[in-house]
Structure formats: C-alpha cells, structure tokens
Amino acid sequence: MLDNFFRAFTQLRHLIMTTQYSILSVLIRPEIQEKITIGFLLINGNEVFFDYSKHKLGVAKNLLSANAYNSLKDAIHNINATANNYKHNTTSDTPSKINSFSVTYIEYLSRYNNNILSFTALKSIEVSANLEVFTKLFHKFIDNTIAPVKKTFVSEIQKFKKEKKVELSKHFNIDKKITPNEIEGLIVPVSVTLIGQNEVPAFVQTLDLERSTSYLIKDISEILFLQKAFVSTHLQSVAMAITNEPNKNKYPEQHDIWEQLRNTKDILHYDISDADAVIEYAVEHNVHPFIK
C-alpha cells in the first residue's frame, strides 16, 4: 500500500514539476530552410513566460520582404498578447484559456503565416517555471546579447526627423501648431508632429507611451480634436500615430493604451522602428504640406 502511495506521489510530483518549453524560429531562407531562433516560450500549469529577441527581430527585418516581416511582427505581438492574457486571466473554469498553449495550439501556430514563424515541439524539463529560470533559458537558447543602452523615444523621434527632414518636408509641415485660422471647427490650437494633404488631410502624432497617462490623454485628445474638426468641414482625414511599446509590467496602463491603438481602425499605428512607413504613405498618396 505504501508502495502505491509513493508511486502515486512520485507521479503527482512529476506532473507538478514538469515544465514545457518551445523555441520559436523565423525562416529567412526557405530554399535551404535557414532559420534564426527568435523567441522562447515556457509553460507550467497556469504560468506562461514568453519573450523574443528585439536584436534578432531587427536582423530578420533586413533579411525578409516587407510583407514577410510585417507578418512576423504581427505574429510575435499576437503571441505576446496571448501569453500576457493567459497569465493574467487563466482560471479553472475557462478551458479556452487553459488550452491557449496546448500542443494543438502550438502546432497551429507552427503552420500560421506560411511557416514564417515556427515552433519546436514542446519539450519537458523538471524545473519550476519562474522569471529567473526563464531568463537563464532565454539567454541559453535565444539571445545572450548584452542589451544596448536604451534610446529614449524622444531622441529616436528627433533622429528620425533630422535624418528624414528632406523627405518629410516634401510632404508635411513638421512640428506645426494648428489653430482655428487653419481649420474651421477646431476648438483649441493643436500641436501636431506632421501634417499634409492630398485629396484628404493626413497628419501624424508621436505618442511616447512611457509618459504618464495624463500626458497621453492630452496627446490623443489632440488627434481626436483634429479628426472632429475635419469632419465638421465635411472632410475625412487620415490620422497616424508613431509610438513605442511600453514595458507591460512597468507601465501597465500605458500598455493597455498601446494595445487599443494597435486595434483601432481610426488611427494608423506605427512603431518607432517603422517610422519610415509615414513617408512611404506620403509618397504613395502624393501628400504635400497642409500649409503652404
């Protein structure tokens, strides 16, 4: 009887301690199946840890087509959001959450986006799942690069405007204060990063999502003020925002705002790393400065 007890206890202990992991890779040269390991997923019961190498994502950007890179980036962001949702919302009575990272789901993700992003089969290791273990395994399997000193969002925007000043000036007014004299129906003056027009007005606002929410409310309100003012003059407008993804743990409210911006259809959203997209939009749509 004691033997049965200890056997059952050992099996139970094995189930409790078993942690599973999967390594994510991006396919960069399909003809020879060349891949770069880019992300790491660690699962144990209701605990899920996920992260990806920003450094390697930047490398992949230079090796993939624009469409493939955008698919890769969207897939990684969606996995990250699912992992965060799993960790914060999993309960015993929500099977859809519990199965979020099941074997079946991993296999589905492996086929997603034409296998641009692939997962290894889940492998088991007998360790507890915690941040320290995850970090060590991430450094071992994915990226042990010492992170460079992080540039501030403001410095990156300033660099973008300085380096791209010639191209931007062809299409936009830069750092312009718009008043009711320029747009009828505008209630208060609005400061906008870039503004131009073709058949419709197009403007860009930069949003530093590591600032306090009070500043963000003001910045986003200015976008809404401009949109409403253009509607009052019977014009639709194209609103764009350049942002940075804030750390979810350090800036939870700001991260929620970032998620909302990514999902809204009323504002085109670009990460600071993709700021050139506003120039591509301007060239494609023949945008010229709003104020001569």
Side-chain angles (χ1 to χ4, degrees), residues 27-39:
L27 184 63
I28 56 171
R29 295 175 65 187
E31 65 275 14
I32 60 172
Q33 289 296 301
E34 183 177 354
K35 298 178 180 180
I36 298 175
T37 56
I38 197 169

Side-chain angles (χ1 to χ4, degrees), residues 15 39 43 45 47 61 91 104 113 116 121 125 129 134 151 156 176 181 184 189 216 220 237 240 268 271 279 287:
L15 290 173
I43 307 169
E47 288 292 326
K61 182 178 182 181
T91 61
T104 302
N113 287 329
I116 291 172
I125 49 175
F134 173 81
K151 297 178 181 177
E156 290 187 84
K176 190 68 179 176
N181 293 329
E184 283 186 46
L216 288 174
I220 295 172
S237 61
M240 293 173 267
L268 298 177
D271 185 81
I279 298 177
V287 175

Side-chain angles (χ1 to χ4, degrees), residues 60-75:
K61 182 178 182 181
N62 295 323
L63 298 173
L64 297 173
S65 68
N67 287 339
Y69 171 72
N70 288 333
S71 294
L72 170 66
K73 187 177 64 173
D74 287 345

